[in-house]
Amino acid sequence: VLSIINNEDLYFVYIPANERYLEKKTNNFFYKEIIEIINDKNINLIDLKKDYFDNLPNVEDFYPFGKQGHFSEYGYHQVSKFISEKIKN
């Protein structure tokens, strides 16, 4: 499938596992391997772990009641804003 897609228009968004931040787990969750594959395929990467979440003081604010699960309304809004800005550049 990747061979028929124009990589200039394709973006891979890496969303880190919430356990990394909410439970302070140090497991890599195959992060390095995933990023390496994406880079090897010359696919545009938006790395929410490295470029966004690792720089936030309160990642808990992005989840309802600071618990595991999907993003909260605020979390989705902030993440979508970040992704949109990255694509525009």
Side-chain angles (χ1 to χ4, degrees), residues 41-54:
K41 299 285 184 188
N42 292 320
I43 297 171
N44 296 308
L45 171 65
I46 298 174
D47 186 345
L48 292 178
K49 178 202 169 304
K50 182 182 89 182
D51 297 333
Y52 194 62
F53 284 104
D54 284 357

Side-chain angles (χ1 to χ4, degrees), residues 1 5-6 13 19 23-24 26 29 34-35 41-43 45-46 53-57 59-60 66 79-80 82 84 87:
V1 172
I5 296 174
N6 180 350
V13 178
E19 293 95 344
E23 295 180 13
K24 310 294 188 238
T26 57
F29 300 99
I34 293 168
I35 300 304
K41 299 285 184 188
N42 292 320
I43 297 171
L45 171 65
I46 298 174
F53 284 104
D54 284 357
N55 301 314
L56 291 176
V59 174
E60 297 84 11
V79 168
S80 65
F82 181 81
S84 179
I87 290 172

Side-chain angles (χ1 to χ4, degrees), residues 6-33:
N6 180 350
N7 285 358
E8 293 176 15
D9 298 329
L10 178 67
Y11 284 83
F12 181 90
V13 178
Y14 181 84
I15 302 173
N18 55 32
E19 293 95 344
R20 177 186 299 276
Y21 302 100
L22 299 178
E23 295 180 13
K24 310 294 188 238
K25 291 196 175 180
T26 57
N27 185 340
N28 271 334
F29 300 99
F30 299 103
Y31 170 74
K32 206 163 114 177
E33 293 86 349

